[in-house]
Amino acid sequence: LQEVHRRLHKLRGRVGPQRGLLQLCAEEYQREFAVLAFDEAHVLNVGDALMLRTFFEAYFNAGGVMVATSNVAPDDLYASGINREVFLPFLDALRTCCDFFEMQGRQDYRSKVTGNARGIYFCCGVDLPNDTATPELLQTALALPDGSTYLPVAIDVDVGFGRTLHCKNTWNVPGKTNCSSQTMPSPQGSRRVVHFEFDDLCRTATGPSEWVGLADFADTLIVTGVPHFEVHDEDAARRFITFVDIVYDKQRFLVITADARPEGIFSRLVDKYGGEGAAETLASERLSALDSAKDELEEKVTRDNAQASHGLDESVMRMPGHGLGSGRHGVVFKRPKQLQYGGSGAYIASASASVADELQPVPHTVSVTRTGGRAEHGMGDSDRVMQGVVQEDSDWVEWSATGLKDASLFDLSPTGTRSQLQDKLLPFVRCASRLHQMRARGD
């Protein structure tokens, strides 16, 4: 997809901005590549979803063929994504143009790998002292001869789209090192090494295009200071996952120092969604809940019919407990179960003894006004407000910066079904598996 972005950039410069550029790009791809193959296909965000839909509709129409593997069934692609309805036509195109084959294998072969791998993973305080300096790390990770000294050089790396990424520490080291991946030739048989702190790489204005540019430039990438991700740090964690995916797919050598072992680095985020077995648990719970839901629906229909026969209008309008400060009209939705709010309306991930009182989660509260207006304002004028019930509920929030203070798009995407939970958890599991493979190499 990053390559499609780059081609679009060049195409826009060649023909100028106009409608249908993505279709033209897809037709160019079909003329150059009659078959496109993808491994471990997974749709992660709404931008990719929109691009895939438009691109492949044009690619298929031009006669192109796609072959792909995925850990997700086609109908479950982008299951937890926001605005998934815009992606559904792509699934229709897959059903029309592709044959589906379900593979029964469940073995994670990366966990069995010994010998050559694509990197080394150091757990600080376990594999390395916490105060290990970068030159020492470089020597250990790349198996450089004792006494080797390499002074870092700061450079600006071309990352495409007319942009550069400043890297304060780069080296050219001898070609015969631990790095066994086949990469592009480097000057005079040496290998290019770049070093970034995690915060500089994943908490600044960088993204996939910069990371692709780095992987194209460097043979070895060193990232230090990777944290044990907190429950509120999902944005940075998923950016890190994307970075690891890019380096892995480019077959570059990756060296990481982190505060936790690979199998535990995302543990707090996995637990946020109920743990690795949450999808299966949810599926069984939903099956057992079908009968009770049916009974509740029948009771509601009976109650509504009784109210209608007595001429009562018991319409319910829900208001959020937070937000809508500029007025009482707005788009509201039920608070995602992983979000909690403090007394100030700020989003907090979890409560603990060290959290200030004003940041403790607000208990679920509901206040009801019979004919409209906020509860504390009384009954209001029945001639000027709707007849029915206004229900102010702390479990409902406003779709705005006010109602969703500090929340991320990942917090807002749905997790109500087994496929949605699996879609959420798969990147954590896949990345942990790749990092575990690297640490096996370090052992």
Side-chain angles (χ1 to χ4, degrees):
L1 291 177
Q2 286 302 309
E3 179 60 27
V4 171
H5 280 297
R6 291 169 187 264
R7 289 195 175 218
L8 278 174
H9 183 69
K10 294 177 180 178
L11 186 61
R12 191 175 294 110
R14 193 168 72 241
V15 303
Q18 58 179 272
R19 294 176 63 88
L21 281 181
L22 191 53
Q23 288 88 337
L24 290 176
C25 182
E27 292 166 2
E28 285 189 0
Y29 257 94
Q30 193 280 328
R31 288 193 291 270
E32 188 173 351
F33 306 107
V35 178
L36 290 178
F38 297 96
D39 186 33
E40 296 196 68
H42 190 201
V43 184
L44 297 172
N45 58 67
V46 67
D48 290 350
L50 286 169
M51 177 175 283
L52 282 170
R53 169 190 170 178
T54 305
F55 178 89
F56 274 102
E57 285 176 349
Y59 183 76
F60 288 147
N61 288 337
V65 175
M66 182 187 74
V67 179
T69 68
S70 178
N71 291 319
V72 180
D75 285 342
D76 292 337
L77 285 170
Y78 196 52
S80 65
I82 290 177
N83 295 333
R84 188 175 187 255
E85 62 275 6
V86 303
F87 181 70
L88 296 181
F90 172 64
L91 298 184
D92 294 335
L94 287 184
R95 296 186 191 95
T96 301
C97 301
C98 300
D99 295 320
F100 297 160
F101 299 91
E102 182 178 359
M103 313 301 288
Q104 298 299 322
R106 292 293 184 268
Q107 177 65 53
D108 180 5
Y109 290 97
R110 278 189 291 266
S111 66
K112 305 297 182 182
V113 168
T114 58
N116 276 354
R118 297 181 185 176
I120 300 180
Y121 184 102
F122 295 107
C123 183
C124 293
V126 178
D127 305 312
L128 285 175
N130 288 319
D131 57 351
T132 301
T134 300
E136 297 170 6
L137 175 62
L138 185 68
Q139 182 172 322
T140 301
L142 305 183
L144 299 176
D146 290 341
S148 300
T149 302
Y150 298 92
L151 296 177
V153 177
I155 64 171
D156 292 318
V157 179
D158 182 1
V159 295
F161 304 97
R163 302 198 305 270
T164 60
L165 179 63
H166 184 69
C167 180
K168 294 182 287 187
N169 297 308
T170 69
W171 298 266
N172 283 326
V173 301
K176 293 183 178 180
T177 69
N178 241 350
C179 309
S180 57
S181 62
Q182 298 299 314
T183 59
M184 65 185 195
S186 298
Q188 301 177 347
S190 63
R191 307 185 76 84
R192 296 190 184 99
V193 180
V194 299
H195 167 240
F196 282 88
E197 288 290 334
F198 171 82
D199 286 352
D200 293 334
L201 195 67
C202 295
R203 296 193 194 276
T204 57
T206 58
S209 62
E210 283 78 19
W211 303 330
V212 168
L214 272 182
D216 286 340
F217 169 81
D219 303 289
T220 300
L221 298 94
I222 299 176
V223 182
T224 52
V226 179
H228 184 183
F229 291 101
E230 296 290 346
V231 70
H232 60 267
D233 208 13
E234 189 165 353
D235 279 339
R238 290 190 182 269
R239 285 162 62 82
F240 175 66
I241 289 170
T242 301
F243 168 76
V244 172
D245 286 345
I246 288 171
V247 175
Y248 188 92
D249 292 339
K250 290 283 187 178
Q251 300 187 35
R252 297 313 193 240
F253 196 82
L254 179 61
V255 180
I256 288 175
T257 68
D259 294 338
R261 298 173 185 269
E263 59 272 18
I265 194 168
F266 303 115
S267 60
R268 292 162 180 160
L269 288 164
V270 171
D271 290 344
K272 170 181 172 180
Y273 295 109
E276 290 190 25
E280 288 70 22
T281 302
L282 178 63
S284 62
E285 289 176 350
R286 289 178 67 87
L287 286 174
S288 63
L290 286 177
D291 290 338
S292 60
K294 181 180 178 182
D295 293 340
E296 289 179 10
L297 179 61
E298 291 176 351
E299 290 178 7
K300 183 179 184 305
V301 170
T302 302
R303 186 169 60 251
D304 290 347
N305 289 339
Q307 291 171 353
S309 65
H310 289 85
L312 298 176
D313 181 0
E314 286 295 320
S315 301
V316 175
M317 180 171 66
R318 288 187 174 89
M319 291 293 186
H322 298 291
L324 288 182
S326 58
R328 301 304 295 171
H329 298 282
V331 179
V332 299
F333 63 101
K334 190 164 186 179
R335 173 183 62 84
K337 62 182 180 181
Q338 62 268 25
L339 287 182
Q340 296 187 79
Y341 287 85
S344 65
Y347 158 52
I348 55 177
S350 60
S352 67
S354 62
V355 178
D357 289 342
E358 64 268 17
L359 293 182
Q360 292 289 343
V362 173
H364 181 207
T365 57
V366 177
S367 59
V368 175
T369 300
R370 201 68 184 155
T371 56
R374 292 177 63 88
E376 61 265 32
H377 291 170
M379 296 295 292
D381 186 343
S382 60
D383 294 332
R384 302 184 62 183
V385 297
M386 69 169 235
Q387 297 297 313
V389 173
V390 173
Q391 180 175 291
E392 188 171 290
D393 192 329
S394 63
D395 266 1
W396 285 72
V397 292
E398 176 191 5
W399 183 275
S400 75
T402 304
L404 301 173
K405 183 179 178 182
D406 298 332
S408 73
L409 287 177
F410 297 113
D411 292 313
L412 305 179
S413 52
T415 56
T417 68
R418 178 176 180 271
S419 60
Q420 288 169 346
L421 270 179
Q422 284 182 325
D423 196 50
K424 283 268 195 175
L425 293 171
L426 177 59
F428 298 130
V429 175
R430 182 184 66 244
C431 187
S433 172
R434 290 176 171 177
L435 297 177
H436 176 81
Q437 179 186 358
M438 292 167 53
R439 187 160 192 265
R441 165 81 174 192
D443 293 341

